[in-house]
Every structure is written in structure tokens, then in C-alpha cells.
């Protein structure tokens, strides 16, 4: 039990920044550049850890709580979700709701820390962030409900269990495909990726997530980056598991399938980022409402 | 395979309800027509009847009519639907509601046993409703034509269900009707745009001598 938890957290901590490196490399290839080395996110984190803190005089303890919660929450959430064939170490009935709302907690603290700085820019970013994520949340929940209907249970472990493989072949395969698309969109929103938000931009008017962490510096900023990377890994783990529901039974092989899927997903995100432009801000809610409707439709299909 | 086709058709319905760009809409409807042309072959197997039906539908719905519409767009120089009577998100939600309603309603219909629980009837109904919605909620004559096309696609799905019992001449007649309708609408669109230098149908409600 304890060894399982340690293994799970180790996998997460070691591999989390890698997909970010793959995404950046893919984007560089599309742009015809060499791009930063694959391990650049690791170097960035190491560099940020060596620096000192700079605090604005208007901030309180909330300002530091934001990055800390943002780092701890993906760790907790990762304990609830199976990594490919590796079963989640902690699972109980209804943990999918905890899974969804742990991210809500992290978002609350990030937004609170942004508001705590007292800068109007950060307030604007916080407003956008919570608006978009409250529209993305139903997509995630309905997607999980579709899976729950297939598994007839309410634990993430059984939702993403080996029965997925047969589900793809049955009539429910179509709705699985639908929620795969919807969850991919939700992943892009939650991780502030291009069609919704540009992680590289520093133009205040277009920023959503980046603007909230402008005042964080040094190790706190490192924590935020690390937390974001882990969030991508945890949500991506959900997607990869649905897309590749293979179970071999041996831990190294299952792990290999999962990590391969993760890197494939990172490449896919990179391709999407390179080939799409950012949506205009008023268009984003439309797209999110659309994906919510799609996941509701997937639910209607499996309920028939 | 059929289920996948029908699901894609429903997704294209949603897309055309929520998209403001006319070129993308026309391409989506062309795609829908082309997919539906595959349907008779997939459902009834390779027979002369179904291949004829599929080919005819593909030429008309997937290639010819979209080409006409794209040409019309080039001539009247419009790119997007500016302000529909009902907003895009609201139309999307309505479309989703009617789709769900179609699914529920088709469970109550006294269908033949082999059509129960299938996707055919609900998809046909949902596509027809989406076409209706597009017809009702948009101002531009061209988008209304697209709505009419989607409506016809819905009827076509029904026809495929009965295609064993439906002679080819009737099908051909329907396709020809459609083509004539599109032609007439194209001429009307051109006239409207020449008269008012816009193709909003709103202006037509206040006709004077």
C-alpha cells in the first residue's frame, strides 16, 4: 500500500515536466526552429529553486498559499487516478467528485493569491480563469458520468478499469469517442493551452492564466510551474487511459504504455498549438458550451 | 459503421448551428451530404439500387450544390452570418434540446422491431429539427438555404430506411426537386443582393409597390 503510494508519487514527480518539454519541442519543429532541449522544464525548475523570494508589501499569507496548494493538489489528485495499468493507490466510492473538485480548490487558491496582490491585471486574469473553468467543469463531470454508466460503479479505479477495452467495441464506443474529444478540450482549457490561452504570451490583454502569476517569483513561481505540469500529467492520465485501455499485468510494461501515451498526447497538444490560432475571448464560452452539450449528448447515448 | 456515420451527421448538425462562418458551414453540409451518400451502400449492401442512390446523392449533395453555394458566396461577397435572430449559443442549446427530444420521441414511435433502439429514426428527426432551426433563426438567405439542405438530409435518412420499398424514380425526383429549389434560391439570392446590396431577408418583409 505504502509502496504503491510512493511509486505513484515518484512517477508523477519525475515525469511531470517531460510532456511540457515535448510540447515545446513539437512547436519548435513546426516553426522550423531547433527549440529548447527536451529537459528544459527541469532546468527551469532547478533555476527557479535557487533564487530568492520577492514579496510585494500588499500581500498576505494567501499569496504564498496559492502556489503551495497548487503544488499539493495535483499530488493528491494523482493518488485517486490510475496511471495506465497501474491502479490508483487510494480509491473509494464517489472519489471522482473529489477528483474534480480538488482542481476547483487549487483554482480557488490561485485566483485568491492573484487577487491578493491588489493589482488590477491579476484580478482580470482571475475573473477570466474562473469563468472559463466553471464552463469546463460540467464537461469533465459529464464525461466521468458516461464512464460511470459503463462501469456501473463510482470509483475512478473501476471507471478506468479493464472493461474499457470491451466498451470501445460495444455500442458505447461512439460515446467514448465523444467524451475523449470533450475531455481533450477540457484539458486544453484547464492547462491554459493555445486555442483558449497562450502560455507564452506576455501581453496583458490576452493573458488568462499567465497573468495571475505575474507577481510570483523564485521558488513560488517554480511551484506554480511544477503544479501546472503535474496537472497536465494527471488530467492527461485520464485521457491516455481512455484512449489506450490495455492491461498487461506487469508493472513496467503498463508504465511504458502509459508514458508512451502521455508523450503522444504531448505531441498532439503541440500540434494543436502550432496549427490553431487563439480564439477570440467571446468565442471561448461558445466552444465550452458546445463541448458540454456534446458530453451531455454522449450521456444520452449511453442512457438509452 | 452505420452508427458512426449517423453520429458524425449529428455532430455536423451541431457544428453548423454554432458556426458563424459561412464557408465552414457550407463545407460541413457538403461533408454531411457525402457521408449520407455512403449510407445506402453501408445499410443495404452493394446492389445496383443502393449504389445508384449513393452516387446520385454524392454528386448532388456532396459536390454540385456546395459548389453552387460557394460560387454564390463569391459573387455576393459575404463571409459570415453577422447577427442571427437568436444567438449562436442559444441556437446550439436549442439544437441539443431538440436532438435529445428526438431521441426520446423516437422511443415512443410504433416502429418496426428492427428499427427500435437504432440511431436511424432519432438521427433523421434531429437532423430535420436542426435544419428547421437554421431556417428559422438566421437572417441571411444563404444560411437559410443551408438549413433547407440539412432538412432535406434528414428526410434522406428516413428514405434510406425505406429504400428497399422506395423506387429509384421517387428518389431521383426528390433529388431533382432539391436541385431546382437550390437553383431558384440562388437566383433569388442574386436578385436580393442586386436590389438591396445585401442578402438579408429582413428587407423583404417591408415590400412596397
Amino acid at each position: 500500500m505504502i509502496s504503491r503510494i510512493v511509486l505513484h508519487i515518484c512517477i508523477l514527480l519525475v515525469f511531470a515536466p517531460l510532456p511540457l518539454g515535448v510540447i515545446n519541442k513539437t512547436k519548435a519543429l513546426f516553426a522550423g526552429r531547433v527549440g529548447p532541449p527536451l529537459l528544459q522544464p527541469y532546468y527551469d525548475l532547478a533555476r527557479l529553486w535557487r533564487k530568492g523570494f520577492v514579496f510585494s508589501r500588499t500581500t498576505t499569507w494567501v499569496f504564498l498559499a496559492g502556489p503551495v496548494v497548487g503544488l499539493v493538489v495535483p499530488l493528491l489528485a494523482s493518488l485517486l487516478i490510475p496511471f495506465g495499468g497501474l491502479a490508483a493507490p487510494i480509491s473509494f466510492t464517489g472519489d471522482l467528485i473529489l477528483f474534480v473538485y480538488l482542481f476547483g480548490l487549487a483554482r480557488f487558491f490561485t485566483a485568491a493569491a492573484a487577487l491578493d496582490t491588489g493589482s488590477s491585471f491579476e484580478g482580470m486574469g482571475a475573473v477570466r480563469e474562473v469563468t472559463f473553468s466553471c464552463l469546463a467543469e460540467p464537461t469533465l463531470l459529464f464525461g466521468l458520468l458516461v464512464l460511470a454508466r459503463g462501469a456501473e460503479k463510482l470509483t475512478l479505479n473501476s471507471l478506468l478499469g479493464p472493461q474499457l477495452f470491451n466498451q470501445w467495441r460495444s455500442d458505447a464506443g461512439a460515446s467514448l469517442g465523444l467524451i475523449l474529444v470533450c475531455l481533450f478540450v477540457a484539458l486544453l482549457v484547464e492547462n491554459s493551452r493555445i486555442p483558449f490561452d497562450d502560455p507564452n504570451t506576455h501581453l496583458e490583454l490576452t493573458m488568462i492564466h499567465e497573468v495571475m502569476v505575474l507577481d510570483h517569483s523564485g521558488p513560488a513561481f517554480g511551484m506554480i510551474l511544477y503544479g501546472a505540469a503535474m496537472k497536465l500529467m494527471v488530467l492527461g492520465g485520464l485521457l491516455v487511459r481512455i484512449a489506450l485501455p490495455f492491461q498487461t499485468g506487469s508493472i513496467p510494461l503498463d508504465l511504458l504504455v502509459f508514458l508512451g501515451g502521455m508523450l503522444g498526447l504531448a505531441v498532439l497538444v503541440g500540434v494543436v498549438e502550432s496549427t490553431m490560432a487563439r480564439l477570440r475571448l467571446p468565442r471561448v464560452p461558445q466552444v465550452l458550451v458546445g463541448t458540454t452539450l456534446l458530453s451531455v449528448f454522449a450521456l444520452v447515448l449511453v442512457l438509452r | 459503421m452505420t452508427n458512426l456515420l449517423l453520429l458524425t451527421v449529428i455532430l455536423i448538425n451541431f457544428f453548423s448551428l454554432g458556426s458563424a462562418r459561412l464557408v465552414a458551414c457550407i463545407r460541413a453540409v457538403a461533408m454531411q451530404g457525402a457521408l449520407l451518400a455512403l449510407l445506402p451502400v453501408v445499410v443495404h449492401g452493394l446492389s445496383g439500387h443502393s449504389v445508384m442512390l449513393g452516387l446520385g446523392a454524392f454528386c448532388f449533395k456532396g459536390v454540385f450544390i456546395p459548389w453552387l453555394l460557394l460560387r454564390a458566396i463569391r459573387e455576393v461577397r459575404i463571409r459570415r452570418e453577422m447577427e442571427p435572430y437568436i444567438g449562436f449559443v442559444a441556437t446550439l442549446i436549442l439544437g441539443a434540446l431538440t436532438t435529445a427530444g428526438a431521441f426520446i420521441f423516437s422511443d415512443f414511435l410504433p416502429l418496426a422491431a428492427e428499427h427500435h433502439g437504432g440511431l436511424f429514426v432519432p438521427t433523421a428527426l434531429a437532423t430535420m429539427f436542426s435544419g428547421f432551426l437554421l431556417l428559422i433563426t438566421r437572417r441571411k438567405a444563404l444560411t437559410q438555404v443551408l438549413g433547407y439542405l440539412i432538412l432535406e438530409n434528414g428526410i434522406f435518412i428516413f428514405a434510406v430506411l425505406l429504400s428497399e420499398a422506395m423506387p429509384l424514380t421517387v428518389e431521383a425526383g426528390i433529388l431533382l426537386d432539391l436541385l431546382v429549389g437550390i437553383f431558384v434560391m440562388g437566383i433569388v439570392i442574386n436578385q436580393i443582393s442586386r436590389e438591396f446590396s445585401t442578402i438579408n431577408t429582413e428587407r423583404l418583409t417591408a415590400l412596397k409597390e
Side-chain angles (χ1 to χ4, degrees):
Chain A
M1 179 72 197
I2 297 294
S3 61
R4 293 305 297 273
I5 293 180
V6 170
L7 176 71
H8 227 68
I9 287 185
C10 279
I11 292 169
L12 184 73
L13 288 178
V14 171
F15 288 104
L18 193 61
L20 288 182
V22 175
I23 289 174
N24 286 334
K25 202 76 179 165
T26 314
K27 283 166 79 172
L29 282 177
F30 261 84
R33 294 181 283 115
V34 179
L38 265 186
L39 300 181
Q40 187 62 44
Y42 292 94
Y43 303 148
D44 283 347
L45 288 173
R47 188 195 68 212
L48 286 167
W49 275 115
R50 286 200 300 272
K51 296 191 172 193
F53 286 101
V54 178
F55 286 129
S56 129
R57 276 196 304 275
T58 55
T59 55
T60 58
W61 61 271
V62 177
F63 181 68
L64 199 54
V68 173
V69 173
L71 185 75
V72 172
V73 158
L75 276 176
L76 289 176
S78 77
L79 295 180
L80 300 175
I81 198 155
F83 282 166
L86 298 178
I90 299 175
S91 99
F92 49 88
T93 304
D95 59 2
L96 59 102
I97 297 190
L98 177 65
F99 177 77
V100 173
Y101 284 98
L102 271 176
F103 287 112
L105 181 75
R107 206 172 301 126
F108 170 79
F109 270 97
T110 316
L115 292 173
D116 194 47
T117 58
S119 114
S120 51
F121 270 147
E122 257 123 309
M124 187 184 72
V127 164
R128 289 174 179 177
E129 171 86 1
V130 292
T131 307
F132 292 162
S133 8
C134 85
L135 287 167
E137 216 161 66
T139 308
L140 196 57
L141 269 175
F142 276 116
L144 289 173
L145 275 181
V146 172
L147 291 174
R149 167 78 187 174
E152 308 276 334
K153 283 205 186 79
L154 282 177
T155 64
L156 276 172
N157 245 350
S158 53
L159 291 195
L160 302 167
Q163 88 283 349
L164 274 174
F165 192 69
N166 297 326
Q167 230 170 315
W168 274 110
R169 292 234 184 103
S170 68
D171 281 346
S175 51
L176 276 187
L178 281 183
I179 60 167
L180 203 56
V181 175
C182 293
L183 287 178
F184 184 66
V185 173
L187 172 114
L188 290 177
V189 178
E190 290 277 1
N191 291 294
S192 58
R193 289 283 152 196
I194 260 196
F196 305 99
D197 178 14
D198 193 343
N200 298 330
T201 182
H202 279 288
L203 286 166
E204 292 85 355
L205 288 179
T206 58
M207 286 192 285
I208 297 164
H209 188 88
E210 290 303 303
V211 76
M212 298 204 298
V213 298
L214 270 181
D215 274 25
H216 290 280
S217 56
F221 189 52
M223 277 191 241
I224 285 175
L225 286 185
Y226 209 1
M230 287 199 282
K231 195 170 162 183
L232 178 67
M233 179 111 167
V234 171
L235 279 172
L238 186 68
L239 264 161
V240 169
R241 179 62 184 157
I242 299 172
L244 303 169
F246 307 115
Q247 199 117 10
T248 52
S250 74
I251 288 181
L253 263 178
D254 281 339
L255 195 59
L256 213 64
V257 168
F258 170 70
L259 290 176
M262 243 357 256
L263 295 186
L265 181 72
V267 170
L268 188 65
V269 171
V271 170
V272 167
E273 289 215 5
S274 319
T275 50
M276 284 183 80
R278 266 198 71 224
L279 290 168
R280 289 210 328 270
L281 219 54
R283 293 282 295 169
V284 176
Q286 284 183 20
V287 172
L288 291 180
V289 167
T291 53
T292 305
L293 290 177
L294 277 192
S295 46
V296 171
F297 178 58
L299 189 64
V300 168
L301 278 183
V302 288
L303 284 181
R304 287 182 77 214
Chain B
M1 185 65 195
T2 46
N3 281 357
L4 202 65
L5 275 179
L6 292 173
L7 271 179
T8 323
V9 166
I10 290 181
L11 293 189
I12 290 175
N13 287 344
F14 283 146
F15 177 84
S16 54
L17 282 177
S19 152
R21 274 174 302 183
L22 280 177
V23 179
C25 263
I26 291 177
R27 288 205 179 123
V29 173
M31 181 86 190
Q32 196 178 42
L35 284 175
L36 286 184
L38 286 177
L39 207 55
V41 182
V42 172
V43 175
H44 299 296
L46 277 169
S47 66
H49 185 110
S50 64
V51 169
M52 284 285 286
L53 194 61
L55 268 180
F58 180 79
C59 291
F60 277 116
K61 284 184 205 279
V63 181
F64 190 57
I65 292 173
W67 175 76
L68 278 179
L69 289 175
L70 283 170
R71 230 194 59 188
I73 278 194
R74 264 205 304 278
E75 279 184 10
V76 293
R77 286 197 198 83
I78 45 165
R79 283 266 151 256
R80 54 178 60 230
E81 175 83 32
M82 287 317 274
E83 25 188 47
Y85 291 113
I86 303 176
F88 290 111
V89 172
T91 326
L92 249 181
I93 291 174
L94 274 176
L97 285 179
T98 50
T99 305
F103 270 84
I104 295 164
F105 178 63
S106 63
D107 282 348
F108 290 111
L109 287 176
L111 300 170
E114 68 265 26
H115 300 153
H116 249 305
L119 279 177
F120 258 104
V121 180
T123 309
L125 286 174
T127 313
M128 282 162 70
F129 281 137
S130 305
F132 268 131
L133 268 177
L134 212 55
L135 265 170
I136 295 163
T137 58
R138 302 290 198 256
R139 279 174 214 253
K140 296 261 191 291
L142 223 144
T143 341
Q144 290 174 1
V145 176
L146 283 180
Y148 175 64
L149 267 175
I150 292 181
L151 179 65
E152 207 282 331
N153 280 345
I155 297 169
F156 183 83
I157 299 175
F158 259 127
V160 168
L161 208 58
L162 308 168
S163 105
E164 290 299 296
M166 197 185 259
L168 205 57
T169 41
V170 178
E171 295 281 355
I174 292 175
L175 281 175
L176 204 65
D177 272 348
L178 179 72
L179 190 68
V180 170
I182 300 290
F183 258 121
V184 170
M185 282 177 178
I187 294 164
V188 167
I189 288 171
N190 268 327
Q191 290 292 345
I192 295 174
S193 82
R194 205 167 301 150
E195 204 63 42
F196 300 111
S197 69
T198 156
I199 61 166
N200 271 4
T201 47
E202 263 199 326
R203 306 280 187 92
L204 292 178
T205 54
L207 284 177
K208 294 190 194 71
E209 276 295 320

